[in-house]
Amino acid sequence: MLRHKPPLLTLLLLLISAAATTTSISKQFKEAPKFYNAPECPHTNIHTDDVDHHTDTFDAAVHVAMTLDATYIRGSMAAIFSVLQHSSCPQNIIFHFVTSASSSDASNLRATISTSFPYLYFQIYPFNDYSVAGLISTSIRSALDCPLNYARTYLPNILPRHVTKIVYLDSDLVLVDDIAKLAATPLGNDAVLAAPEYCNANFTFYFTPTFWSNPSLSLTFANRKACYFNTGVMVIDLDRWRAGDYTRKIEEWMELQKRMRIYELGSLPPFLLVFAGKIAPVDHRWNQHGLGGDNFRGLCRDLHPGPVSLLHWSGKGKPWVRLDAERPCPLDALWAPYDLLKPPFSFDC
C-alpha cells in the first residue's frame, strides 16, 4: 500500500499545536526593557520584601492595582508596559495583581509577569470568586458577569492594610503620561475615591424603570449631584473605604438586585449607588474611554476632544482581538506599540 506523505502545511500545524500545548503562557510574551528612575525621583529603596511589609519608604511608592486572568493577560501586559514606559520614577511603582482563587492559572500568570518584567515589584493576591458569585446577576453582556470584574469592590479587604492608597486600572487601557500625576489626584477631606465623571451622560440609563418608579429607591440620589463615572480608572483611599465599610454597602445593593432587577450593567451600578455624587473628579484626559465601542457591537470610535493621558478600550471591542482578526479600528494602532506578544513562529531555542 502506498502511503502519502502529509502536506507540509499539516506538519507545520501539528508542530505549532504541540508547541502550544507544551509552551507555558510566559513564553508567549517578549521581555520588556528595563526603565530607570529620573535623578529627581525620591529615593525609596524598595525591595521585593517591601511589597508584603510596610517600610519607611513604602508610602512614597505609587501603588497600582489590577486584576489578572488568562483571557485579558495580553491587555494587562500592554497596560503594565505603558505605565512603566511613561513614568518618571518607574522603580517607585508597586503592582498589586488580583487573580481568581478558583483558577489554575495563577502560577502561569506569575511566571508571565516575572519573565517579561523581571525587575518589577509586584504581588499576586487570590480573590475568592466563589464568595461573590452568588451575588452576581446576569447583565447585558456575559463578559461583565465574570466574578473577577467585582474584585475592585474587595480591594480594601484583599490588599495588606499598610497599603493605604491605590490607583486601580482596567486591563484594556494604556497610559501615555506619568501615572504619578494620576496618583496625585486630590481626594479632599472626605472623598473615598476619585474617578472620571461624565455628568452629560444620561444617568437614568444605568437603572431600570423598577428602580426609578420606587420612591424608596430613587431617593437614594436625593441631595446628591449624581453623575456616571468610570470605574476602570480610579484613585482609592483604602483607609477611608475600610473605615466606612463600603464593601458591605455595595454588597447590600447587589443583594437587592437579586430580589428585584434594578440595573443591567454588571459591577458598575452598585458603585454608582454608593458613590455617585460623592467622589472627587479625575481629569478626563485620564480616561479617553469608549474606544472599544458600545456593549453590543463594539463599533469604532474617535477620541473625545481634549488632551490625552490614558486611552481606554472600554466597551465590547478589544484592540488585540481586532488586530488579530485584521479588522482593527484606526485608534487600535495606538495600542499596538505596547503589545508584548511574540510574533507568530517566534520560538525560543
Side-chain angles (χ1 to χ4, degrees):
M1 179 186 296
L2 292 175
R3 292 187 178 182
H4 298 285
K5 293 182 178 180
L8 181 60
L9 179 59
T10 301
L11 287 172
L12 184 58
L13 290 173
L14 288 171
L15 286 171
I16 293 172
S17 176
T21 58
T22 58
T23 302
S24 71
I25 190 173
S26 63
K27 296 295 186 182
Q28 298 176 15
F29 295 92
K30 298 176 287 187
E31 181 176 331
K34 184 174 182 178
F35 299 98
Y36 297 89
N37 282 357
E40 62 272 16
C41 291
H43 182 65
T44 59
N45 195 30
I46 299 172
H47 298 285
T48 303
D49 292 342
D50 295 342
V51 179
D52 290 321
H53 303 95
H54 187 274
T55 66
D56 292 338
T57 59
F58 191 81
D59 294 332
V62 173
H63 294 267
V64 180
M66 300 176 66
T67 58
L68 208 59
D69 69 351
T71 302
Y72 280 86
I73 184 63
R74 190 170 168 189
S76 302
M77 299 290 280
I80 297 164
F81 186 21
S82 73
V83 168
L84 297 171
Q85 180 169 325
H86 295 286
S87 172
S88 299
C89 307
Q91 294 173 294
N92 293 3
I93 300 175
I94 299 176
F95 282 86
H96 303 270
F97 299 117
V98 179
T99 62
S100 169
S102 66
S103 171
S104 59
D105 293 323
S107 59
N108 277 338
L109 293 170
R110 179 181 292 276
T112 301
I113 300 296
S114 298
T115 301
S116 290
F117 305 100
Y119 47 82
L120 194 70
Y121 302 115
F122 75 95
Q123 184 57 276
I124 293 181
Y125 309 86
F127 171 56
N128 184 4
D129 42 355
Y130 287 128
S131 65
V132 72
L135 293 173
I136 297 175
S137 302
T138 55
S139 63
I140 61 172
R141 185 158 59 92
S142 60
L144 300 176
D145 301 335
C146 172
L148 200 57
N149 284 337
Y150 291 79
R152 72 195 82 186
T153 300
Y154 297 88
L155 286 173
N157 304 333
I158 296 171
L159 302 187
R161 295 193 71 84
H162 58 260
V163 180
T164 59
K165 185 180 180 182
I166 60 161
V167 177
Y168 174 82
L169 298 175
D170 272 352
S171 297
D172 54 357
L173 53 77
V174 294
L175 276 74
V176 292
D177 203 345
D178 193 341
I179 195 170
K181 299 176 186 176
L182 175 60
T185 301
L187 293 175
N189 294 325
D190 54 8
V192 175
L193 63 87
E197 281 187 300
Y198 302 92
C199 293
N200 291 330
N202 181 3
F203 192 75
T204 59
F205 165 77
Y206 296 97
F207 302 95
T208 64
T210 300
F211 175 87
W212 293 114
S213 63
N214 188 322
S216 65
L217 297 177
S218 59
L219 285 175
T220 300
F221 297 112
N223 303 317
R224 290 162 59 179
K225 187 183 177 183
C227 299
Y228 158 73
F229 64 89
N230 190 287
T231 55
V233 179
M234 295 187 288
V235 180
I236 306 175
D237 186 314
L238 298 179
D239 278 349
R240 292 180 182 177
W241 183 301
R242 292 166 180 139
D245 197 15
Y246 286 100
T247 295
R248 183 58 199 153
K249 292 175 181 177
I250 289 175
E251 285 182 332
E252 288 172 354
W253 284 110
M254 294 172 66
E255 290 166 355
L256 178 61
Q257 164 77 351
K258 297 292 286 186
R259 299 195 298 271
M260 54 190 297
R261 198 161 185 84
I262 59 174
Y263 56 79
E264 303 285 356
L265 278 169
S267 63
L268 170 64
F271 263 83
L272 298 179
L273 287 160
V274 173
F275 291 114
K278 300 179 180 180
I279 70 172
V282 166
D283 192 295
H284 286 183
R285 70 185 301 147
W286 290 103
N287 192 42
Q288 279 279 347
H289 65 123
L291 303 186
D294 59 34
N295 281 308
F296 298 100
R297 291 181 294 172
L299 301 178
C300 298
R301 288 184 176 174
D302 294 327
L303 289 175
H304 303 282
V308 180
S309 291
L310 184 151
L311 298 155
H312 191 180
W313 278 263
S314 55
K316 184 178 181 180
K318 302 306 173 189
W320 56 92
V321 175
R322 297 191 294 218
L323 286 165
D324 285 353
E326 298 184 350
R327 299 180 62 184
C329 292
L331 292 177
D332 294 345
L334 300 177
W335 181 90
Y338 302 99
D339 186 10
L340 290 176
L341 188 73
K342 290 180 179 179
F345 313 116
S346 174
F347 297 104
D348 294 334
C349 295

